[in-house]
Amino acid sequence: MTAPSPSPAAVRRTAHTLATGAVGWLHRHRELGSLPPDTSGELTDPDSVYKPLGESALAASLVLREGIASPADRRAAEEILDFAWAQLREGDLLYERQLRYMMMTDPLELYTHFARAGYRHERLHALFNHLGRLVSRDGAEQLPNRRLAVANAARVAGLDREPDWQVLTDATWLGHTPEPWAIDWMTAYCVTHTVFHVTDWGGRPQGLSPEIQDYLARWLPVWMDVWQEIQEWDLLAELLIVDSCLAEPRSAPEVWEVLAGAQRPDGLVPRNGEPVSDDPEQAFREHHHTTVVAAVAGTLALSRHRGAPALV
């Protein structure tokens, strides 16, 4: 493993600026993520609004979990969660969808962000536990990193499940610690999500084996260089989250400065080096996810480097 970053204070300053700007943008634009009034559990286009609601809730829940944000950012996170929960009819929409589509996992995966922050829907919780005992759920056809997503969602929500984390992790691309030059764009996203779910977004860095920790410590900087060079800011931000999920984060301050340099004055972080539309709704559709990822990346780095000198 390479030596830890020599400048945690510099990382902390940049991560603070990045996270505060991103959380502020998500808060100010949250109503652009409103569900249509007639939305039902069928959700003919889940990725249009339903998925972004869950992603905003994820970022907000981690801001609250880490407990290092300013009072203003904490209030913004709380209001993002309250807004998203109200849009989901305080969990009733998730219950309706899960009851209608028993094999769907997205109701649980969205619910867990709220559960992390203390929200609870008793009937939905009971339904999750019931469905989790079905053979059909164990036999569902899923990518290995998706199985980890469901397992972590169940863990955070406090459901009655005991998965074998080692078996689940070993089945992933990352679990094989393969040739690092074989990675491609989609595989890189699978790697990041494997780490997110095994460690519960950095809350359990010990979930990664020493072998995987060593592998990531060696190759993350190389992968960051690749996607930094082609200005894939979304993937770069996800790789920085992975760094914060390690037992010893070690990303260089210069990488954080590059990502922060891509952030717009209003807090939006573009997904790549292409121009951002002046239309607020189009900008929200195209860059909401990257701004969520930036908020998470900054929040976790700020927390992991909390022992560095105070911010100025």
Side-chain angles (χ1 to χ4, degrees):
M1 296 177 74
T2 56
S5 168
S7 305
V11 170
R12 193 166 185 247
R13 284 192 295 270
T14 308
H16 177 261
T17 300
L18 185 73
T20 295
V23 170
W25 186 89
L26 293 171
H27 179 253
R28 290 191 303 275
H29 294 82
R30 63 192 183 280
E31 292 192 3
L32 292 177
S34 301
L35 291 171
D38 58 348
T39 299
S40 71
E42 294 189 16
L43 293 173
T44 54
D45 186 13
D47 289 347
S48 63
V49 180
Y50 174 74
K51 184 172 180 281
L53 272 177
E55 292 177 342
S56 288
L58 163 66
S61 74
L62 294 175
V63 168
L64 298 180
R65 184 190 75 179
E66 296 303 312
I68 41 77
S70 68
D73 285 351
R74 286 198 298 272
R75 284 194 301 272
E78 290 167 354
E79 290 176 8
I80 289 170
L81 281 164
D82 285 343
F83 169 78
W85 190 239
Q87 288 292 303
L88 297 171
R89 303 202 305 269
E90 299 184 339
D92 285 350
L93 180 63
L94 298 177
Y95 179 78
E96 175 187 331
R97 181 166 172 78
Q98 188 69 91
L99 193 62
R100 184 175 181 85
Y101 302 106
M102 59 173 279
M103 295 297 289
M104 292 285 191
T105 63
D106 54 82
L108 171 58
E109 293 180 67
L110 261 72
Y111 177 72
T112 195
H113 308 320
F114 299 96
R116 183 184 284 114
Y119 297 75
R120 189 175 175 93
H121 189 290
E122 293 296 343
R123 289 187 301 157
L124 183 56
H125 199 89
L127 180 58
F128 288 147
N129 272 327
H130 169 70
L131 294 176
R133 291 189 288 268
L134 300 181
V135 174
S136 294
R137 293 298 288 264
D138 289 338
E141 303 285 350
Q142 292 175 318
L143 288 172
N145 77 89
R146 296 292 308 125
R147 288 193 178 279
L148 284 167
V150 177
N152 186 55
R155 173 169 63 185
V156 175
L159 302 183
D160 300 330
R161 303 185 192 177
E162 293 293 337
D164 188 324
W165 289 94
Q166 188 66 54
V167 169
L168 292 177
T169 304
D170 287 349
T172 66
W173 188 89
L174 178 61
H176 289 77
T177 57
E179 301 81 6
W181 55 86
I183 198 168
D184 57 22
W185 183 82
M186 182 54 70
T187 305
Y189 275 103
C190 291
V191 166
T192 63
H193 284 67
T194 294
V195 175
F196 300 161
H197 303 314
V198 171
T199 67
D200 185 26
W201 300 88
R204 302 170 57 92
Q206 70 276 14
L208 293 173
S209 69
E211 181 183 16
I212 291 178
Q213 297 261 0
D214 288 345
Y215 179 84
L216 290 171
R218 180 179 297 274
W219 295 111
L220 270 177
V222 178
W223 297 337
M224 287 183 191
D225 281 348
V226 171
W227 277 288
Q228 176 182 318
E229 181 178 348
I230 60 175
Q231 298 185 332
E232 283 283 350
W233 308 131
D234 190 271
L235 186 48
L236 178 62
E238 292 211 2
L239 292 170
L240 284 168
I241 296 175
V242 170
D243 180 69
S244 290
C245 294
L246 300 180
E248 294 183 8
R250 56 195 70 233
S251 56
E254 294 78 14
V255 181
W256 285 97
E257 290 166 6
V258 168
L259 182 61
Q263 187 173 38
R264 288 161 50 105
D266 63 356
L268 178 148
V269 180
R271 64 187 179 188
N272 53 35
E274 297 297 319
V276 175
S277 172
D278 291 330
D279 176 59
E281 293 187 3
Q282 182 176 347
F284 183 90
R285 288 194 304 271
E286 294 179 350
H287 306 287
H288 170 270
H289 179 267
T290 308
T291 306
V292 165
V293 175
V296 173
T299 295
L300 295 185
L302 185 60
S303 179
R304 296 304 305 278
H305 292 294
R306 69 176 72 206
L311 298 172
V312 295

PDB file of all heavy atoms in Angstrom, residues 76 284 305:
ATOM      1  N   ALA A  76     -30.447  21.783   5.622  1.00  0.00           N
ATOM      2  CA  ALA A  76     -30.726  21.499   4.216  1.00  0.00           C
ATOM      3  C   ALA A  76     -30.933  20.002   4.007  1.00  0.00           C
ATOM      4  O   ALA A  76     -31.864  19.585   3.297  1.00  0.00           O
ATOM      5  CB  ALA A  76     -29.580  22.011   3.342  1.00  0.00           C
ATOM      6  N   PHE A 284     -30.894  19.862 -14.292  1.00  0.00           N
ATOM      7  CA  PHE A 284     -31.225  18.947 -13.199  1.00  0.00           C
ATOM      8  C   PHE A 284     -31.221  17.506 -13.689  1.00  0.00           C
ATOM      9  O   PHE A 284     -30.628  16.624 -13.054  1.00  0.00           O
ATOM     10  CB  PHE A 284     -32.594  19.306 -12.617  1.00  0.00           C
ATOM     11  CG  PHE A 284     -32.999  18.467 -11.438  1.00  0.00           C
ATOM     12  CD1 PHE A 284     -32.664  18.849 -10.152  1.00  0.00           C
ATOM     13  CD2 PHE A 284     -33.723  17.289 -11.602  1.00  0.00           C
ATOM     14  CE1 PHE A 284     -33.042  18.085  -9.048  1.00  0.00           C
ATOM     15  CE2 PHE A 284     -34.101  16.516 -10.525  1.00  0.00           C
ATOM     16  CZ  PHE A 284     -33.751  16.918  -9.243  1.00  0.00           C
ATOM     17  N   HIS A 305     -11.280  12.801   7.374  1.00  0.00           N
ATOM     18  CA  HIS A 305     -10.120  13.635   7.704  1.00  0.00           C
ATOM     19  C   HIS A 305     -10.452  14.612   8.825  1.00  0.00           C
ATOM     20  O   HIS A 305      -9.835  15.671   8.922  1.00  0.00           O
ATOM     21  CB  HIS A 305      -9.649  14.404   6.461  1.00  0.00           C
ATOM     22  CG  HIS A 305      -9.062  13.528   5.389  1.00  0.00           C
ATOM     23  ND1 HIS A 305      -7.881  12.834   5.573  1.00  0.00           N
ATOM     24  CD2 HIS A 305      -9.498  13.236   4.141  1.00  0.00           C
ATOM     25  CE1 HIS A 305      -7.618  12.146   4.456  1.00  0.00           C
ATOM     26  NE2 HIS A 305      -8.567  12.381   3.597  1.00  0.00           N
TER      27      HIS A 305
END
